Amino acid sequence: KYIKKFLDDIGCKEPDQEDYIKTKLLPKYASSEEIDNETLISDFISIYKFAQKVQKARYEDVCRVISDVQIIIYSINGGYVRNTPREVYVDTDIIKEYFRGYSDAPIIESELYQSLIDEIGEQKFYDFLSDIGIKTYPDVRQVKKGSWELLEAQAEELKLNEIKYTWTRLTDYT
């Protein structure tokens, strides 16, 4: 009580959350330094909570900045890899089917973020993932001979007329 009054009297204020995120939290992710999963999840939750407090224009800026930060983790061969949201997919049934057989597919495991999902709900969680650039549908770049049938089957399942489907990252099906 007295310490707070003293700090107020000398002009010290509570740290600004945006300043903390910009100067302390995000710079950790600019290096290849290993960061434990608990810290990653905690930082992700801090960023989410901050993003929810700002106005729409600033929210979009926050999402754009986060899309370039290696703050998302996913499992590969029993270990965890950190990557930017733009390089990761949401763990939907369609994505799991698309990457079936690939043990190194960059698919976020929502179980890792369960505490945030429990707090805010699944829809808000997935909306935020989409806002920061995590892909919700497979992107396709190159199609090899004989794979059109597979692509057509996927397109039918995805009901392309109802989905924002980008064709920027194709996979070689050979």
Side-chain angles (χ1 to χ4, degrees):
K1 184 175 172 178
Y2 296 111
I3 293 174
K4 182 171 178 10
K5 182 175 176 358
F6 170 74
L7 292 174
D8 286 343
D9 289 346
I10 62 171
C12 290
K13 299 177 182 171
E14 280 190 45
D16 178 46
Q17 190 175 13
E18 181 176 8
D19 186 54
Y20 169 76
I21 288 171
K22 284 181 177 178
T23 62
K24 300 287 187 211
L25 195 143
L26 293 180
K28 289 191 287 190
Y29 297 94
S31 74
S32 58
E33 177 185 327
E34 191 165 321
I35 300 171
D36 66 273
N37 290 353
E38 191 174 302
T39 300
L40 276 160
I41 302 300
S42 175
D43 290 348
F44 183 83
I45 290 170
S46 295
I47 291 168
Y48 170 82
K49 288 181 177 180
F50 170 71
Q52 298 309 301
K53 292 179 183 178
V54 299
Q55 294 176 350
K56 183 170 175 55
R58 290 204 46 229
Y59 175 82
E60 291 168 358
D61 289 340
V62 170
C63 290
R64 193 173 16 267
V65 168
I66 298 309
S67 70
D68 293 324
V69 176
Q70 290 189 344
I71 194 165
I72 302 299
I73 55 175
Y74 56 94
S75 175
I76 290 185
N77 300 323
Y80 288 98
V81 175
R82 190 174 86 198
N83 212 332
T84 64
R86 293 177 194 204
E87 300 300 321
V88 181
Y89 292 87
V90 173
D91 60 345
T92 63
D93 291 338
I94 292 169
I95 293 294
K96 289 175 185 174
E97 178 63 25
Y98 184 78
F99 285 109
R100 185 175 39 151
Y102 292 95
S103 62
D104 61 348
I107 302 172
I108 190 172
E109 295 177 32
S110 56
E111 299 84 29
L112 295 170
Y113 300 86
Q114 195 60 50
S115 65
L116 180 59
I117 293 170
D118 291 344
E119 183 179 332
I120 67 170
E122 201 169 89
Q123 188 60 50
K124 284 184 180 180
F125 175 72
Y126 285 114
D127 287 348
F128 184 65
L129 293 183
S130 179
D131 291 346
I132 63 173
I134 292 182
K135 300 173 194 145
T136 55
Y137 295 96
D139 296 334
V140 187
R141 279 193 191 152
Q142 178 181 4
V143 178
K144 291 288 185 179
K145 183 178 175 183
S147 62
W148 281 109
E149 294 79 18
L150 176 59
L151 189 58
E152 286 174 345
Q154 289 175 339
E156 179 64 31
E157 182 179 342
L158 294 172
K159 299 178 185 171
L160 290 179
N161 58 334
E162 298 174 12
I163 298 172
K164 296 176 187 174
Y165 190 86
T166 59
W167 293 76
T168 57
R169 183 168 187 207
L170 292 177
T171 303
D172 181 354
Y173 290 104
T174 59

